[in-house]
C-alpha cells in the first residue's frame, strides 16, 4: 500500500511511501486486539481502596476490664472491630491489577490494529517538521490542513519533540506519542492515524 507524503500545509510533498504489508496489511486478529486492550486498561488501574485492620489502629492496648466476673464479653483491646474507632474486618486492601501478555500476541494485536486503519484509509503520512515554540493554534491548523482536525487523531512521532507535544495538550481530540509509545489501545481509540515520515520504517524494522 502506497501513500502520498503530505506537507504540513496539506499539499503533497512529491514523495510516496510504501507501508510494509507485514505490519499494515495482515489479516486482523480481533481476539489478539481484545487481549491487548484488556491488558492495557488493566495496567492503568491502581488499587487505592484501603481500610485499617486492628493491627494498624492507633489505640491503647490496655485491657478494658477483668477477664471474668464483668458480666459481659471478655475484651482485650479497643482495637476490636465491634468498638467505634476499631479496626475493620476483611476490609479492602490495594490490589495489583497488572497482567502479562506474550510479546508475539502484543505484536500481532498492534499490527492488526494498524491493518484496520490501513483498510479504513485512516492513515496519513506527513513529512518531518519542527515547531519553534509550543503553539496550540498552529498545531490545530496543521491537523486541519491534513484533514485530521475534525476527529480523534493519534499523531505518532519518530522521536520526542517537546514543542509538538505541548502544542497538542489542550486539544482533547489529539494525542501525540512517539513510536516507542505506540500501543493497540491508542490506535483503536483514534479515528485516524498520522505518521511522521520514518515511523512506518521503524515499525517495519521492529517487526522483523
Amino acid at each position: 500500500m502506497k501513500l502520498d507524503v503530505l506537507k504540513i500545509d496539506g499539499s503533497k510533498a512529491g514523495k510516496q511511501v510504501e507501508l510494509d504489508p507485514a505490519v499494515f496489511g495482515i489479516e486482523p486478529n480481533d481476539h489478539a486486539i481484545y487481549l491487548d486492550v484488556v491488558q492495557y486498561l488493566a495496567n492503568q488501574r491502581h488499587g487505592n481502596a484501603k481500610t485499617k485492620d486492628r493491627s494498624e489502629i492507633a489505640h491503647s492496648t490496655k485491657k478494658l476490664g477483668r477477664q471474668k466476673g464483668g458480666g459481659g464479653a471478655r475484651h482485650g483491646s479497643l482495637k476490636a472491630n465491634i468498638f467505634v474507632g476499631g479496626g475493620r474486618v476483611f476490609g479492602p486492601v490495594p490490589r495489583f491489577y497488572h497482567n502479562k501478555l506474550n510479546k508475539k500476541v502484543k505484536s500481532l494485536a498492534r499490527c492488526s490494529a494498524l491493518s484496520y486503519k490501513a483498510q479504513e484509509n485512516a492513515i496519513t503520512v506527513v513529512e518531518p517538521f519542527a515547531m519553534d515554540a509550543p503553539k496550540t493554534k498552529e498545531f490545530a491548523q496543521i491537523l486541519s490542513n491534513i484533514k485530521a482536525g475534525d476527529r480523534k487523531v493519534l499523531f505518532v512521532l519518530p522521536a520526542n519533540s517537546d514543542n509538538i507535544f505541548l502544542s497538542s495538550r489542550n486539544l482533547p481530540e489529539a494525542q501525540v506519542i512517539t513510536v516507542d509509545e505506540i500501543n493497540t489501545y491508542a490506535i483503536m481509540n483514534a479515528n485516524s492515524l498520522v505518521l511522521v515520515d520514518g515511523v512506518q520504517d521503524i515499525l517495519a524494522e521492529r517487526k522483523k
Side-chain angles (χ1 to χ4, degrees):
M1 179 180 183
K2 291 187 177 181
L3 292 177
D4 290 316
V5 179
L6 302 181
K7 296 181 180 180
I8 57 175
D9 61 3
S11 63
K12 292 183 180 181
K15 175 186 175 182
Q16 283 191 328
V17 295
E18 185 162 0
L19 301 181
D20 190 338
V23 178
F24 297 89
I26 69 169
E27 181 66 32
N29 188 309
D30 291 343
H31 188 60
I33 293 175
Y34 163 77
L35 291 176
D36 200 11
V37 169
V38 166
Q39 189 223 19
Y40 176 85
L41 293 176
N43 290 352
Q44 307 309 302
R45 297 185 66 180
H46 299 281
N48 55 8
K50 174 73 173 73
T51 58
K52 292 183 178 181
D53 60 30
R54 61 184 298 167
S55 69
E56 299 170 305
I57 295 294
H59 257 319
S60 170
T61 56
K62 179 182 178 182
K63 189 170 174 64
L64 303 183
R66 56 185 182 174
Q67 181 77 356
K68 291 188 175 183
R74 298 162 292 181
H75 296 294
S77 172
L78 278 170
K79 297 180 181 182
N81 64 295
I82 63 173
F83 293 116
V84 174
R88 181 170 173 181
V89 180
F90 305 130
V93 293
R95 178 182 157 193
F96 188 69
Y97 290 96
H98 286 222
N99 60 62
K100 182 180 177 298
L101 198 63
N102 292 336
K103 287 183 179 179
K104 288 186 178 180
V105 177
K106 289 182 73 69
S107 177
L108 174 61
R110 189 163 51 247
C111 292
S112 296
L114 291 170
S115 296
Y116 267 129
K117 294 304 178 191
Q119 290 175 9
E120 297 165 2
N121 294 318
I123 299 178
T124 304
V125 180
V126 298
E127 66 177 5
F129 67 97
M131 299 182 70
D132 297 330
K135 295 287 185 181
T136 301
K137 187 175 182 180
E138 185 179 328
F139 187 76
Q141 185 60 50
I142 292 173
L143 294 180
S144 178
N145 291 342
I146 61 176
K147 296 181 172 52
D150 57 344
R151 49 186 179 169
K152 193 179 293 184
V153 58
L154 180 66
F155 206 99
V156 188
L157 304 172
N160 186 47
S161 173
D162 289 338
N163 287 338
I164 296 178
F165 173 74
L166 293 173
S167 299
S168 70
R169 272 201 311 190
N170 285 337
L171 299 174
E173 297 301 311
Q175 181 185 7
V176 173
I177 61 174
T178 66
V179 67
D180 294 330
E181 300 168 319
I182 196 168
N183 60 81
T184 304
Y185 176 80
I187 297 168
M188 297 302 295
N189 191 46
N191 297 119
S192 63
L193 191 63
V194 178
L195 308 179
V196 174
D197 189 15
V199 168
Q200 73 281 356
D201 297 328
I202 297 174
L203 292 172
E205 185 64 30
R206 290 180 180 177
K207 177 62 179 174
K208 294 178 181 178

